[in-house]
Structure formats: C-alpha cells, structure tokens
Amino acid sequence: MVISNDSLIFDPSLADKVNSFNTCPNSKIVWKPSPVGFLKLNVDGAVSKNGLGCGVGGILRNNNGECLLSFSEQIGQGPLILAELQAMKIGLLIFLKSRWCYNHRLILESDSKIAVEWVLNVTLCSSLFACVVHEIADLIHMNCIVV
C-alpha cells in the first residue's frame, strides 16, 4: 500500500492500515557508537493510538555507549511528524545547554526519514511545519551538528 506523506499529515490513521512487520521480517537495526570526540543523540516521537497524546524522548551516549543523559516528556496533541520534529528540537536544546556541548560534536539520529529529510533540506517540508523545521535546521547549522 502506498500512502503519500501529505495524506499522513492530515490523517495519521492511514498508517495503521499498513503492516510494516511483513516487509522486512529478518532485518535488524543495530545501534552504532559515535566516533571519538562525538556524542550521539537518538530521539523519537510517539503518538497514542487515539491521537490525543504525544510524547518525545531521547538519549545521549558517548563513544563507549554510556548514557550521559536522557529525557522524555509529553507534548500535547498532534500528528506523528510533529512529535518527531519536537523530539529533535527538544533534544538539541537540551544538548546545547549541557556541559558536553563545549568539548564534543554531536550526531543527531532519528528513525523518522521524513523529519531527517526536512531538516537537511527545508525546501522539502510541508508549510504546516516550516517554522519548527527552520528552527531545527538553524540549530544544526549554527552548531555543526551531524544528522
């Protein structure tokens, strides 16, 4: 089943009709540590089944895989892409206020291909999310963050 990204923005329940577990039953995603001198921030956004609650979270790890900090919080309501973008923004702001931002570069990772594409090329983003995408892109560029 093919669902356009714009359709998901207005009706995220369309994604519930797709069973993604049948597409790659043997695939494994393995976390890889960052190179020396870098930290890695993995972020994620989530939306409840009824769409009435969104949450974000993330974890910052060093090149040995040790957890330096983590965060999670509820952010209200909205589509999944907004939760993914807010996870990026909140995670970046937390890192930039931390003691580690002065002596480490950052690698930002997200499982949202759309969010990553949008912050790397803001011309691709939906106008509904342009403000937050531009904020994230500015943080990335001003602080030499790798996505």
Side-chain angles (χ1 to χ4, degrees):
M1 174 182 276
V2 177
I3 301 171
S4 74
N5 294 338
D6 288 336
S7 296
L8 288 174
I9 290 169
F10 297 105
D11 187 5
S13 67
L14 291 173
D16 296 336
K17 297 175 181 151
V18 178
N19 185 350
S20 61
F21 297 106
N22 291 335
T23 57
C24 300
N26 295 324
S27 67
K28 258 190 184 180
I29 298 174
V30 179
W31 182 85
K32 294 179 182 149
S34 60
V36 174
F38 284 81
L39 300 177
K40 191 177 278 192
L41 176 64
N42 293 88
V43 297
D44 198 13
V47 176
S48 64
K49 281 188 179 186
N50 63 10
L52 297 178
C54 295
V56 297
I59 184 166
L60 180 69
R61 294 182 185 268
N62 64 17
N63 60 300
N64 295 320
E66 300 165 332
C67 176
L68 302 177
L69 66 83
S70 63
F71 70 94
S72 65
E73 60 184 81
Q74 295 180 344
I75 60 165
Q77 297 178 346
L80 179 58
I81 187 63
L82 181 59
E84 298 284 1
L85 292 166
Q86 289 289 61
M88 288 179 159
K89 180 181 171 184
I90 292 168
L92 288 172
L93 292 173
I94 289 171
F95 170 75
L96 293 170
K97 291 179 184 175
S98 76
R99 62 183 174 170
W100 296 290
C101 76
Y102 300 108
N103 54 5
H104 291 88
R105 288 196 55 203
L106 183 67
I107 298 170
L108 174 66
E109 286 190 344
S110 168
D111 64 349
S112 174
K113 183 177 185 235
I114 294 169
V116 169
E117 288 174 350
W118 286 0
V119 299
L120 292 177
N121 185 352
V122 295
T123 62
L124 298 176
C125 79
S126 165
S127 59
L128 292 172
F129 306 106
C131 185
V132 70
V133 170
H134 281 276
E135 289 177 37
I136 296 165
D138 289 346
L139 290 172
I140 289 167
H141 295 297
M142 288 188 299
N143 297 285
C144 299
I145 293 168
V146 178
V147 180

